[in-house]
Amino acid sequence: MITTSLEAGNYEGAFNTIEDIILGKQQCTSQVYDNLSPQTILTMAQKARHMLLMILETFGSNAFMEIWDLFDDGKRVSSRGRRTRKRVYTIKLKSDGIGEEEEEEDEREEEIYRSSFSEFEHFQQFFASSVGYKDDFDGVKKQKVAERGPSMRAPAGYKRRIMVLDVLLSVLEDDLYQTEALENCILVDKIINDHREITRWLDIIFRTMGTNIDEDMNQPDINHQNIIINAEFGARMLNMMIAVSYCDTGVIESKDLVYQSFRRLSLLDVDGCSNMIQLIKFNTYTFNVLDTFISDSNVINVQRQYKSMRKQKPTINFMDKFIKFDLNTQPAHLESIQHIYRHIQIIVWKLLLGTDIRQTYYQEQLQQQRRTVIEGVTMTTEEQVKDTVVGVVEEVDVVAISRTTMSMWRRQVKDMLNYVKGYNDNSYYEIEKKIDWSISLVENIML
């Protein structure tokens, strides 16, 4: 009935049928995949994704709690199938109450059921497969073939995998941002619960952002459209990890996350770095990663008295370090114009992000000071407000870049370009123009 309603475009009818199944504690056992063409399966998958997102919006992430146990983690599934105590969840509709959940235990043996998720040992492996990350978890694994439905591992299953991944990430996001105690959210409780998993997660996530800087971007097997899609999924996962790192869960440490992210960012090309800058929602995290990247660069041209700035903690008053240290650094590996271009772009991105963070801080402090003055004085004069504004401005450095500094930076960049000019790079002059444009952007902002 569900598939019939979906094929007819009757989403409401299919939704009502699913509600009846949930409330009636029934199990859907029809073999809906038999004798269906790949295009039909894909169409059904699109409709199913739409339906699942409707369920998430209506019932919340609690409706998906059991789905994480469908992955074959080696603890619950045997070669003869799964026979465990069954938990039955009765979800009250919004019209009956506020989405409360009642849990009962049923001593009946479960009907043997194999989900396509059982082809994967855990969600991390499914995520990696969905975004095209090479599957090398714990050595060589024998590929498992699902006994029900087409394999999720098949190359043709890519579109279905990313639709399922979209739903699962939506569930994790909804649960994360709705859970008051983050240590109880699905992400922390079931997905990421030790530091080794965090390391592997970052390997996968940053690989989705783009290609390695030393890879040939013109390789025929590189699908740029897939890179964009995969980068969005990677960013969604990383955004959740960053949010957890800002809270005292004891699972992800913010400082460690920044350092591990920098190490992986250093492997990406310019487009990969750009994807991370654009897709990550937390400017402070991104700023700290970029600052760490620059601090780890070649400091041969940095004056001796300023080399100690390498260990300086990032703050909103970053311009002094930016002028005396950052602009005088070189790529840690000066091997091609690609390395120079990425280094220049990271310097520009740090400037833009730092300026935005500083402006936001300035506005917040100004509003707070205005409120303090207005609430603390019966009659607030214009001079009092003016003095408050001046006080806030003085807290934030407003160091400007001089023309002399810009000229020196241009000269250093030119020297680097001359150093790598002999290398075989067909796009050398095109990238050289982009570098010049980036330097001009800094000049227009700061002069």
Side-chain angles (χ1 to χ4, degrees):
M1 291 179 63
I2 297 174
T3 54
T4 301
S5 298
L6 287 173
E7 289 172 357
N10 183 10
Y11 297 115
E12 184 175 356
F15 185 60
N16 291 334
T17 303
I18 291 175
E19 288 179 352
D20 293 337
I21 290 174
I22 294 173
L23 295 176
K25 306 176 185 178
Q26 302 173 29
Q27 185 174 10
C28 181
T29 58
S30 62
Q31 300 294 321
V32 297
Y33 287 113
D34 290 348
N35 302 319
L36 295 179
S37 67
Q39 184 58 46
T40 301
I41 293 175
L42 181 60
T43 301
M44 290 177 60
Q46 292 170 338
K47 294 177 180 178
R49 171 183 171 276
H50 176 75
M51 181 63 62
L52 290 170
L53 292 176
M54 286 176 59
I55 293 173
L56 175 62
E57 183 179 356
T58 304
F59 293 118
S61 57
N62 284 340
F64 296 82
M65 278 299 180
E66 294 292 297
I67 201 170
W68 310 104
D69 293 329
L70 296 177
F71 292 99
D72 178 15
D73 60 1
K75 298 176 183 177
R76 303 182 63 214
V77 182
S78 68
S79 60
R80 295 182 178 272
R82 185 157 50 106
R83 295 183 180 275
T84 60
R85 297 178 69 183
K86 180 182 178 183
R87 289 184 174 181
V88 180
Y89 289 91
T90 302
I91 303 176
K92 292 184 177 181
L93 296 177
K94 289 186 174 180
S95 58
D96 298 331
I98 308 177
E100 297 177 355
E101 182 182 277
E102 297 176 354
E103 182 179 325
E104 302 174 357
E105 288 199 355
D106 193 341
E107 299 296 338
R108 296 172 298 174
E109 289 186 341
E110 278 190 56
E111 177 180 341
I112 296 177
Y113 170 75
R114 286 192 180 276
S115 163
S116 293
F117 288 143
S118 63
E119 297 181 62
F120 306 92
E121 292 199 353
H122 34 64
F123 173 66
Q124 185 185 78
Q125 193 177 48
F126 172 72
F127 184 98
S129 177
S130 300
V131 298
Y133 184 83
K134 182 179 271 188
D135 190 0
D136 59 349
F137 290 84
D138 302 324
V140 179
K141 298 288 184 182
K142 292 183 179 180
Q143 180 169 326
K144 301 177 181 180
V145 179
E147 296 180 1
R148 183 171 188 255
S151 173
M152 289 283 281
R153 284 181 176 270
Y158 171 74
K159 291 185 178 180
R160 288 187 291 115
R161 286 196 299 272
I162 62 175
M163 283 188 279
V164 174
L165 181 59
D166 178 46
V167 173
L168 294 182
L169 288 177
S170 297
V171 171
L172 290 176
E173 289 165 343
D174 179 83
D175 178 72
L176 176 66
Y177 298 123
Q178 297 298 327
T179 304
E180 293 184 4
L182 286 187
E183 61 270 15
N184 297 326
C185 72
I186 300 172
L187 183 70
V188 174
D189 185 48
K190 292 181 178 291
I191 308 301
I192 300 176
N193 46 36
D194 66 49
H195 293 287
R196 288 175 300 177
E197 289 187 359
I198 294 172
T199 299
R200 175 51 66 90
W201 269 114
L202 291 175
D203 286 340
I204 299 169
I205 288 170
F206 275 87
R207 196 66 179 92
T208 68
M209 294 295 173
T211 56
N212 188 294
I213 190 169
D214 295 320
E215 290 181 9
D216 181 7
M217 283 294 294
N218 296 316
Q219 293 181 54
D221 59 335
I222 295 180
N223 188 318
H224 296 280
Q225 182 62 35
N226 286 353
I227 288 177
I228 296 174
I229 295 173
N230 295 338
E232 292 175 351
F233 285 127
R236 289 172 67 180
M237 192 67 196
L238 183 55
N239 278 321
M240 288 189 281
M241 293 176 65
I242 297 170
V244 171
S245 75
Y246 286 156
C247 305
D248 188 19
T249 62
V251 176
I252 305 177
E253 298 294 334
S254 180
K255 185 176 180 180
D256 182 59
L257 183 63
V258 167
Y259 180 74
Q260 291 204 49
S261 298
F262 136 71
R263 290 178 56 197
R264 289 158 178 82
L265 184 76
S266 64
L267 300 176
L268 294 178
D269 62 4
V270 176
D271 291 336
C273 295
S274 177
N275 286 335
M276 194 206 80
I277 302 298
Q278 296 180 58
L279 296 172
I280 298 305
K281 299 178 180 179
F282 299 87
N283 284 353
T284 301
Y285 158 85
T286 308
F287 179 82
N288 290 342
V289 171
L290 298 181
D291 180 80
T292 306
F293 180 96
I294 298 173
S295 296
D296 192 64
S297 301
N298 188 330
V299 296
I300 189 172
N301 290 329
V302 179
Q303 295 183 34
R304 177 179 295 181
Q305 62 268 35
Y306 301 135
K307 288 186 177 181
S308 60
M309 287 184 169
R310 163 179 278 177
K311 299 179 180 179
Q312 193 175 93
K313 185 179 179 180
T315 67
I316 57 169
N317 296 325
F318 70 96
M319 283 303 299
D320 189 47
K321 178 182 179 181
F322 183 82
I323 294 173
K324 297 175 180 177
F325 183 89
D326 296 352
L327 292 181
N328 293 297
T329 58
Q330 293 185 5
H333 302 286
L334 187 56
E335 299 174 3
S336 71
I337 193 171
Q338 294 283 354
H339 291 89
I340 300 173
Y341 181 36
R342 184 186 63 177
H343 189 78
I344 299 300
Q345 284 299 102
I346 286 179
I347 289 176
V348 174
W349 286 327
K350 179 186 175 180
L351 172 64
L352 297 176
L353 272 174
T355 303
D356 182 69
I357 293 172
R358 186 176 62 179
Q359 182 66 20
T360 301
Y361 170 82
Y362 166 79
Q363 291 174 347
E364 291 175 351
Q365 291 297 309
L366 182 59
Q367 291 174 0
Q368 182 178 351
Q369 293 285 356
R370 282 182 181 275
R371 285 195 298 270
T372 302
V373 172
I374 294 174
E375 293 171 1
V377 182
T378 305
M379 293 296 290
T380 303
T381 66
E382 185 178 342
E383 286 299 320
Q384 288 174 315
V385 174
K386 182 178 179 181
D387 290 342
T388 300
V389 174
V390 172
V392 173
V393 172
E394 289 176 348
E395 291 181 9
V396 183
D397 68 345
V398 289
V399 180
I401 298 178
S402 67
R403 294 189 180 278
T404 302
T405 301
M406 287 304 306
S407 297
M408 291 178 60
W409 188 35
R410 276 190 176 278
R411 189 160 52 250
Q412 290 180 13
V413 172
K414 189 65 176 176
D415 291 341
M416 288 189 285
L417 290 172
N418 289 333
Y419 179 80
V420 301
K421 197 169 185 178
Y423 287 83
N424 184 22
D425 194 330
N426 297 330
S427 59
Y428 179 92
Y429 293 104
E430 180 182 347
I431 297 176
E432 185 179 32
K433 291 179 181 178
K434 293 179 179 180
I435 291 174
D436 183 71
W437 183 88
S438 297
I439 296 175
S440 298
L441 176 63
V442 175
E443 289 178 331
N444 294 333
I445 292 174
M446 302 307 300
L447 293 181

